[in-house]
Amino acid sequence: MISYLEFEKPVAALESRIAELRAAAEGDDVDISNELERLEEKSADLLASIYGSLTPWQKTQVARHPMRPHFRDFVAYIFDDFMPLGGDRYYAEDEAIVGGLARLGDRRVMLIGHEKGHDTESRLRHNFGMGKPEGYRKAIRLMEMAGRFGLPVVTLVDTSGAFPGVEAEERGQAEAIARSTEACLALPVPMVATIVGEGGSGGAVALASAERVLMLEHAVYSVISPEGCASILWRTAEKAPEAAEAMKVTARDLLKLGVIDRIVNEPVGGAHRDPRAAAGALRDAIGEELDKLLRMSPESLLRLREDRFLGIGDNTKARRRAR
Amino acid sequence: MSWLTQIRKSIPFGRKRESADNLWVKCPNCSEMLFARDYEENLFVCPRCDHHGRVGADTRLAQILDPGYELLPEPSVAEDPLKFRDSKKYADRIKAARAKSPHQDAFQVALGAIEGHKAIVGVQDFTFMGGSMGMAVGQAFVNGAKRALEEECAYIVFTAAGGARMQEGILSLMQMPKATVMTRRLKEAGLPYIVVLTDPTTGGVTASYAMLGDIHIAEPGALIGFAGQRVIQDTIRESLPEGFQRAEYLHKHGMVDMVVERKSLRATLARLLDYLHPAQAA
C-alpha cells in the first residue's frame, strides 16, 4: 500500500476511485473499461504534473518518504553481489553506515552508505541513518582499504545528519566526520557519490567528498535541515518551506551551483513508486561515471577531486562542469 | 531598550568625556566589574574567575604575533550567491556586520613571527556574524594555507564559529571539503598545522579544519562541539553532563592535546614550532 503525501491527495482520490470501480466491475457485465482508462490517464497526468513542479519543501518530503528506496533496496537492485564488512576496530559496529565489497557488473567496488531502515525495528537498529563516530571511522577504514586494493569507492548518501547525542560528541563526532572527509579526498581510486535521499550537512559531506557527485531527481542536499534553518533564522520551524526554498536544496539548483555533477531522473511520482526503475537508472549512471574515471591515473583523480572543491565558490573562474 | 536604560540615558551626567561605559567592563562569567585597561592588559581574561573572554581578530593577532606582522588581503568571493532572504536580506545582514567591523568577513590571515618563528596565523572572528563559515571564510582559510606552503612555514589557525553560514546554504557546507584539501597539502609538505580552539567552535568548522590539526590546543572553558547543546537536548532528551563540550571535557576525551591559558599561548606556540619546524627560526 502506498502512503500518500499531503500534496498527493488529489492523486490519492483518483487512485482510490479507480480501485473502487475496478472492484465494483468484478463479476459485473457492465463494461467500464473506457471509464477506467480515462481515469487512469487522468491520474497519471495529474501525478506527472504534480511531480513536474515540486517545491523544494515538497521534494524534502519525497526525499524523506518512508517508502523511498534505501541502501538495502539499492544493493538488491543495483549490485550483483554485496559482502558487508563490519566495525571500526576501535569501538563498535554502527549500522547507520553500512559498507562492504560489491560487484557492479564486472566492476569490483567498495560500497558505503547510510541506511535509514524500513520499519520500526530496522529504523532503530540503523538509528534512522544517523551515523555515530564509529560509523564514520568504519567508512574511513573501508576507504583506506579500497585505496590499497584498487577498488573504486561508491557511496550512497541518505541521512538527516550525523547523530547529535552525548556519546557521539564524547567519542569525537566532529573529528570522525573531518577524517572521513579527508579519507575521501585522499583516495587514489575513483570515487562516485550519490545523494539518494537526504543529504544532511556534515554527516553527508563525510561520504560525499568525491570527484563525481550525483543526485537523484527528488533528493535534497543542504547545510542544515529546513526546519533547523527556519528555527534559527525565522525563529519558528513552521517556516521550513520558506527555508527550503531560500537554501536551494534541490538537485536542479545544486547542479547550477556546480555542487553536483549529474541528476539521475526518477520514475514519475518518485522513486518510491517504482524503486526498481529508480535503481536501474542509478545503476547506469554510476557505471558510466566509473568507467570514465577508471581510465584516469591516481594523480589525476586526486587533482580532479581537489580542484572540484577548491573551485566551488571561486569568483575568478565561473565553473561550468556540465557536460 | 528597557525603560530603565531609557531613563538612565535621559539623566544628564556631569562629565561625559570618560563615561563609566568604557572605563569599566563586567566579566560575562562572574559579573565582577573590571577596570577596562586592566582587563585588556590581562588579555581579556578575568583576573577574578579566569574566564577567557572572546577577542576579535586584530586583538588576537596582536597578542600572538611579534610586532610588525603583515595582515594579508581578504579574498574576493561571490557575494550573496543564493540571494538569500529570511526576515532580513542576507545582503543587509552582511552590510550591517561590515559596518561594525574593520573587516569584510570573519577570517583574517597574517604573516608574521611568534617569538621569532615565522608563521601564518589565521583567526576566525566570532564578532563577525558569529564567525560563521561561508565562502569568504573558506577562501581565507585556503589562502592562508597556500601562503604557508609558499613561505614553507607553519599554519596556525584560531577557530571560533557558531557553525556554517546558513545564508550561503550548500556553498557553506562545501567549505568543509575545500578547507580539508588544504590541510592535506600542508601535511604532505611536512608543514605544521596547529589549531587553537577558542570559544565557541561548533558545527561544520569543528567537523572539518578545526579537528585536523597536528596539534589541538584549546583555551580554558571554550565550548567545542559538533552538535548544538539545544539540538542534543531536544532530539535526544538526555540531560547533558557537567562541563559537556567544554575544552577540559574534550581534553579528557582525547580530542585536544592540551588546554592552555591565554597568557601562555604565545610561548606554547613558539615552543611547539621549535620542536616541529626548528629550521624556520627567523
Side-chain angles (χ1 to χ4, degrees):
Chain A
M1 201 62 234
I2 200 152
S3 69
Y4 292 97
L5 296 166
E6 189 57 37
F7 58 84
E8 292 176 321
K9 288 281 153 72
V11 178
L14 272 175
E15 288 186 348
S16 84
R17 174 95 188 103
I18 292 168
E20 274 168 28
L21 271 178
R22 204 168 265 143
E26 213 126 300
D28 216 331
D29 305 335
V30 194
D31 182 18
I32 53 158
S33 60
N34 281 346
E35 174 67 359
L36 264 180
E37 202 173 293
R38 194 185 63 80
L39 280 177
E40 273 169 351
E41 199 174 303
K42 196 174 162 197
S43 166
D45 286 353
L46 187 59
L47 190 67
S49 105
I50 290 174
Y51 270 79
S53 56
L54 292 179
T55 66
W57 178 238
Q58 288 169 337
K59 289 211 186 227
T60 307
Q61 290 162 273
V62 176
R64 292 172 182 172
H65 197 291
M67 320 256 308
R68 192 166 175 86
H70 292 148
F71 189 88
R72 67 161 197 158
D73 306 299
F74 290 117
V75 165
Y77 294 133
I78 295 181
F79 297 92
D80 303 283
D81 181 43
F82 180 53
M83 271 182 88
L85 300 171
D88 66 344
R89 300 294 185 270
Y90 299 112
Y91 183 78
E93 157 67 355
D94 178 4
E95 296 190 50
I97 296 175
V98 187
L101 301 160
R103 275 182 202 279
L104 177 62
D106 53 9
R107 309 172 200 89
R108 299 170 302 129
V109 304
M110 184 67 82
L111 173 66
I112 306 170
H114 303 92
E115 171 63 66
K116 285 185 169 178
H118 55 277
D119 56 18
T120 309
E121 189 275 322
S122 62
R123 283 182 191 122
L124 287 171
R125 183 156 45 85
H126 293 293
N127 198 28
F128 303 86
M130 294 185 287
K132 293 180 182 168
E134 43 278 16
Y136 290 102
R137 291 185 180 124
K138 172 173 67 185
I140 296 168
R141 181 172 77 85
L142 299 186
M143 284 192 270
E144 285 173 352
M145 198 197 309
R148 285 199 302 282
F149 292 99
L151 304 172
V153 173
V154 174
T155 62
L156 302 176
V157 175
D158 191 13
T159 181
S160 57
F163 184 65
V166 171
E167 337 84 273
E169 294 288 318
E170 211 168 76
R171 295 197 290 275
Q173 184 71 289
E175 195 263 357
I177 290 172
R179 294 268 173 229
S180 184
T181 306
E182 188 183 38
C184 295
L185 294 169
L187 284 172
V189 289
M191 177 172 185
V192 176
T194 307
I195 317 294
V196 294
E198 278 184 283
S201 196
V205 162
L207 298 185
S209 298
E211 64 271 29
R212 294 299 277 176
V213 181
L214 321 185
M215 202 161 156
L216 288 193
E217 186 184 357
H218 302 306
V220 291
Y221 190 12
S222 62
V223 65
I224 184 173
S225 71
E227 293 92 331
C229 177
S231 68
I232 295 170
L233 291 182
W234 280 265
R235 309 213 172 271
T236 163
E238 282 166 21
K239 292 284 186 187
E242 283 87 338
E245 183 89 44
M247 282 199 297
K248 308 270 190 280
V249 301
T250 70
R252 205 177 302 168
D253 283 328
L254 299 182
L255 185 69
K256 257 185 251 164
L257 289 168
V259 170
I260 63 160
D261 306 290
R262 176 171 177 167
I263 299 174
V264 180
N265 286 331
E266 295 184 25
V268 173
H272 57 280
R273 281 196 169 245
D274 192 349
R276 189 183 292 270
L282 182 56
R283 180 191 164 101
D284 294 345
I286 293 175
E288 276 172 37
E289 297 299 337
L290 281 178
D291 289 343
K292 274 184 248 171
L293 298 170
L294 280 164
R295 292 194 285 264
M296 296 175 69
S297 69
E299 295 74 30
S300 336
L301 286 168
L302 280 165
R303 206 175 326 117
L304 180 65
R305 209 176 292 133
E306 291 191 349
D307 288 347
R308 181 185 196 286
F309 289 102
L310 287 178
I312 291 177
D314 189 339
N315 211 13
T316 56
K317 31 178 170 150
R319 275 170 72 258
R320 277 287 80 90
R321 299 169 41 87
R323 293 185 189 176
Chain B
M1 198 185 298
S2 78
W3 62 273
L4 197 64
T5 22
Q6 271 175 352
I7 290 177
R8 252 184 32 197
K9 288 225 164 163
S10 66
I11 301 172
F13 287 98
R15 283 172 296 138
K16 198 93 187 142
R17 229 168 0 111
E18 284 205 314
S19 74
D21 277 3
N22 52 35
L23 267 181
W24 296 90
V25 289
K26 194 160 91 175
C27 170
N29 183 49
C30 72
S31 300
E32 174 88 347
M33 290 307 290
L34 308 166
F35 194 42
R37 214 166 51 204
D38 290 351
Y39 186 49
E40 191 181 338
E41 269 169 23
N42 205 38
L43 309 173
F44 301 91
V45 175
C46 174
R48 180 161 169 251
C49 74
D50 207 38
H51 174 77
H52 282 54
R54 291 171 182 165
V55 297
D58 295 302
T59 306
R60 179 71 77 175
L61 290 170
Q63 285 180 1
I64 294 298
L65 287 162
D66 299 345
Y69 63 85
E70 174 199 348
L71 196 63
L72 304 182
E74 292 185 64
S76 115
V77 295
E79 299 237 327
D80 190 13
L82 306 187
K83 302 279 168 268
F84 193 96
R85 166 176 209 145
D86 48 270
S87 55
K88 271 191 201 160
K89 281 189 200 160
Y90 173 44
D92 292 339
R93 282 185 195 273
I94 202 157
K95 216 177 280 170
R98 283 176 184 164
K100 284 188 287 180
S101 168
H103 302 296
Q104 296 298 296
D105 217 297
F107 197 102
Q108 300 306 318
V109 182
L111 164 65
I114 300 171
E115 294 187 0
H117 297 80
K118 184 157 96 172
I120 297 288
V121 176
V123 182
Q124 204 159 358
D125 196 336
F126 189 77
T127 62
F128 194 103
M129 293 191 77
S132 56
M133 172 178 63
M135 293 199 299
V137 166
Q139 192 60 48
F141 178 93
V142 167
N143 290 354
K146 280 186 179 161
R147 189 64 186 265
L149 288 165
E150 276 165 35
E151 303 281 341
E152 292 178 32
C153 70
Y155 191 28
I156 297 163
V157 170
F158 289 75
T159 60
R165 192 167 296 170
M166 281 171 291
Q167 295 92 340
E168 295 188 16
I170 194 83
L171 294 171
S172 66
L173 191 67
M174 291 299 114
Q175 304 311 307
M176 295 171 66
K178 181 170 169 170
T180 308
V181 168
M182 297 314 294
T183 62
R184 268 180 33 78
R185 286 192 183 169
L186 290 165
K187 201 187 261 183
E188 273 164 16
L191 297 171
Y193 169 51
I194 300 174
V195 181
V196 184
L197 298 125
T198 75
D199 186 59
T201 297
T202 61
V205 172
T206 321
S208 58
Y209 56 85
M211 279 289 145
L212 293 172
D214 295 304
I215 307 276
H216 294 167
I217 301 173
E219 281 201 323
L223 177 77
I224 304 158
F226 174 65
Q229 300 205 345
R230 219 185 54 197
V231 176
I232 295 175
Q233 260 167 336
D234 286 356
T235 55
I236 312 306
R237 304 188 194 287
E238 294 176 51
S239 64
L240 303 177
E242 178 84 13
F244 180 60
Q245 292 184 326
R246 295 289 165 184
E248 297 73 14
Y249 175 95
L250 268 88
H251 183 242
K252 190 181 151 211
H253 289 284
M255 290 299 139
V256 301
D257 293 279
M258 54 187 103
V259 178
V260 176
E261 297 216 352
R262 195 169 289 164
K263 61 173 189 275
S264 312
L265 257 184
R266 193 173 127 83
T268 304
L269 288 169
R271 197 169 153 210
L272 281 170
L273 293 180
D274 216 20
Y275 273 110
L276 300 180
H277 215 226
Q280 280 299 313

